[in-house]
Amino acid sequence: MKRLIYADNAATTQLDRDAFEAMQPFLLNEYGNASQPYSFARSAKKALRESREIIAECIGASPEEIIFTSGGTESDNWAIKGGAFSGPEKGEILTSQIEHHAILRACQDIEHMGYPVTYLSVDSAGIVHAEELSKRITPNTRLVSIMMANNEIGTIQDIPSLARESHLAGAVFHTDAVQALGHIKVDVRELGVDMLSASAHKFNGPKGIGFLYIKSGTPLHSFISGGAQEFGMRAGTENIASIVGMAVALRKNTSSQAETSSYLNSLEARLIDALRSAKLDFIRNGSENHLPGNISLSFQSSDGEALLHRLDLMGICVSTGSACDSKKNTDIPCAASHRS
Ligand code: PLP
């Protein structure tokens, strides 16, 4: 049988076995609705409360600042649209040109509704500079959204400086940490962010679950209307099994982060050395400060798409870009190497 080399953990990761096992009771026997007062729902309610506490502890937040969502896309849309709709005037949104589509498309939606949006440029390593932000921010800027780590080139931004600049101008600061959480240290108080998006399937949790961290007191319009779940901020019956799986996976990844990073850094070095020894003509994209294990390469004389298909025939899954780009990926069997 052909050996599979899955090198697209940016697109999604394998579900952690402990997370899977922790989820099972809530899929089969403990199926009570966490909003109900009777004793059969107690176990679901307890799991919801404990998972929120675990996640809050992993990112240095308070439990009531964690609001469960269906994943990174919903969290990003909520931050942008809920942030825009939270004031009486159509305040400006500032973001960068290299955000994920969940941010860029949400920004386009609100632009169509008459909200001004400014897209900050980045340097050749994909860095958004705080000086650029301070030049472009105005008293009319309501929200700044800059991703913590890029999904394609892995560049990590200086979030504390960007958040500081935003606050000086009176704006709320959001970061899309979907690629960062579980891979590098994320402490919301140290970062100084007001909102942070996360998605479980990027850190060995299940797909279709995530959260939005909302610092207490941050003005934010609720996004999904209906029941009173999630402190009245996000309606819909909670997906207890997935929430439990997300908490187990995050705690595990967070506690083993240092060892995982040094292992990934050693693998990175081996691959780059091998490519150099083979005298291949390539450029490594992104900045020095990048996500462990994220390698974005450009080969001078090769077409990326052709390379992807040749590697796929050898059982190696890499990517030529983001897996969220539906036009590109309709006929790509395996998306990967960098982040989706
Ligand atoms: N933001 C970033 C940076 C991502 O890489 C992704 C993943 O595709 C998302 C948002 C969307 O997350 P999800 O797949 O949970 O909707």
Side-chain angles (χ1 to χ4, degrees), residues 88-288:
E89 269 111 46
K90 291 193 168 168
E92 182 198 33
I93 312 292
L94 263 181
T95 188
S96 85
Q97 291 170 349
I98 61 159
E99 298 297 310
H100 189 269
H101 281 140
I103 292 288
L104 295 176
R105 297 264 152 83
C107 285
Q108 279 171 15
D109 289 347
I110 60 162
E111 264 186 298
H112 290 141
M113 297 166 79
Y115 288 82
V117 181
T118 300
Y119 300 87
L120 299 175
S121 56
V122 296
D123 69 13
S124 59
I127 295 170
V128 179
H129 290 278
E131 302 79 58
E132 168 75 357
L133 173 63
S134 79
K135 267 192 239 150
R136 305 292 291 271
I137 203 162
T138 72
N140 187 40
T141 306
R142 173 168 306 142
L143 173 73
V144 177
S145 178
I146 307 289
M147 71 199 322
M148 189 165 177
N150 184 263
N151 43 312
E152 296 194 28
I153 55 173
T155 295
I156 299 172
Q157 305 292 347
D158 181 357
I159 295 297
S161 302
L162 296 166
R164 215 174 302 121
E165 284 300 331
S166 306
H167 292 152
L168 282 174
V172 167
F173 188 86
H174 164 255
T175 190
D176 172 346
V178 166
Q179 291 291 341
L181 190 59
H183 304 279
I184 55 173
K185 187 179 177 203
V186 172
D187 182 304
V188 290
R189 306 272 185 251
E190 283 176 16
L191 292 169
V193 299
D194 302 302
M195 291 189 278
L196 178 143
S197 300
S199 174
H201 75 102
K202 306 290 185 178
F203 51 80
N204 306 98
K207 294 169 179 56
I209 191 77
F211 65 88
L212 182 66
Y213 156 77
I214 310 170
K215 186 180 172 185
S216 295
T218 303
L220 190 71
H221 205 272
S222 79
F223 187 52
I224 294 190
S225 311
Q229 293 92 350
E230 298 299 288
F231 315 110
M233 291 290 283
R234 197 276 188 183
T237 302
E238 298 91 346
N239 182 348
I240 303 296
S242 294
I243 289 169
V244 167
M246 171 161 66
V248 170
L250 183 59
R251 184 165 54 188
K252 210 167 156 181
N253 276 26
T254 308
S255 57
S256 60
Q257 214 161 273
E259 302 95 85
T260 310
S261 296
S262 70
Y263 174 61
L264 289 173
N265 288 336
S266 73
L267 289 183
E268 262 188 56
R270 270 173 65 189
L271 178 63
I272 299 294
D273 281 353
L275 293 172
R276 287 207 179 108
S277 311
K279 306 245 177 308
L280 290 175
D281 195 7
F282 70 91
I283 301 169
R284 180 154 191 192
N285 305 306
S287 85
E288 278 291 306

Side-chain angles (χ1 to χ4, degrees), residues 72-93:
T73 300
E74 183 187 323
S75 299
D76 284 350
N77 269 266
W78 185 10
I80 297 295
K81 295 175 185 174
F85 304 157
S86 64
E89 269 111 46
K90 291 193 168 168
E92 182 198 33
I93 312 292

